[in-house]
Amino acid sequence: MNRLMIAARWPLGIAMTSWAYMWRTTPLFRRELDGAWPQDGPPPVAEGITREGVQLPEDGSGPLFRRRYRGRISGAELTAEGLFDQIKTDPNRVAPGALAHFRKIAGDEGEVRVGDEYVVHMPGPWNGPIRVVEATPSSFRLVTLDGHIEAGQIEWRGRDEDGALVFEIESWARGGDRLSYVLHDRLRMAKEVQLHMWTSVIERVARRAGGRLERGIEIETRRAEV
């Protein structure tokens, strides 16, 4: 029943995403640079963490994109650790529900620990299975699993800096297969959906922290041939 309800949200989610994308007011500052492989590849996955079902960049198709989404939040009522205490109880607290919904399929509810697994449900047939490979008091890093549109990793992290809260999402990924590569690098459709999703998370983080984004959101992309 849960899967039927999630699937039923796809058309509405796509419509709401398009509408929100057109009318958003947060300034976005984009920068695209040349990258290099393997320097712009993801951090290594620690020994002892299962590789079963993992999609590493080497398993993907097309160039690797290293992207960082960054927001500096002033007037925050939460520290970085306090923010992640809340996010780790349920990532849906800051996920844009019509665009991304986290469903935990392995691990205890109310926490984010190494080895936990989620499926991120998104508009259209792009559900993303992921596994936690690193967790600290103010961050967690995820690796993509078989069936994900991407092959690589993504990290959410926060830090306290000069009286402000800095929140970042960084990803290192290639297309999970040839079709995903075309959508990302040629048609750019999946790339724009992803950008809207992660920048929406940063906007929601700022509201949850009780502060405001100082000057919008910075997006840096490095493209590297593998």
Side-chain angles (χ1 to χ4, degrees), residues 20 120 130 151 162-164 170 185:
V120 183
I130 50 178
D162 299 329
E170 186 165 8
D185 194 41

Side-chain angles (χ1 to χ4, degrees), residues 68 84 138-139 155-159 166-168 170 172:
R68 187 192 67 183
F84 272 83
S138 58
S139 73
E155 180 176 82
W156 292 19
R157 58 179 178 256
R159 66 179 183 274
V166 176
F167 184 84
E168 296 178 336
E170 186 165 8
W172 306 261

Side-chain angles (χ1 to χ4, degrees), residues 48-97:
I49 298 176
T50 179
R51 304 303 202 273
E52 182 180 358
V54 167
Q55 289 188 166
L56 297 174
E58 294 86 344
D59 304 318
S61 180
L64 176 128
F65 292 94
R66 179 181 182 180
R67 296 195 180 98
R68 187 192 67 183
Y69 309 83
R70 179 181 184 273
R72 182 179 171 88
I73 303 164
S74 62
E77 299 170 0
L78 298 175
T79 63
E81 290 191 15
L83 171 67
F84 272 83
D85 283 343
Q86 296 190 17
I87 292 177
K88 287 179 177 180
T89 62
D90 183 4
N92 292 306
R93 289 176 179 266
V94 294

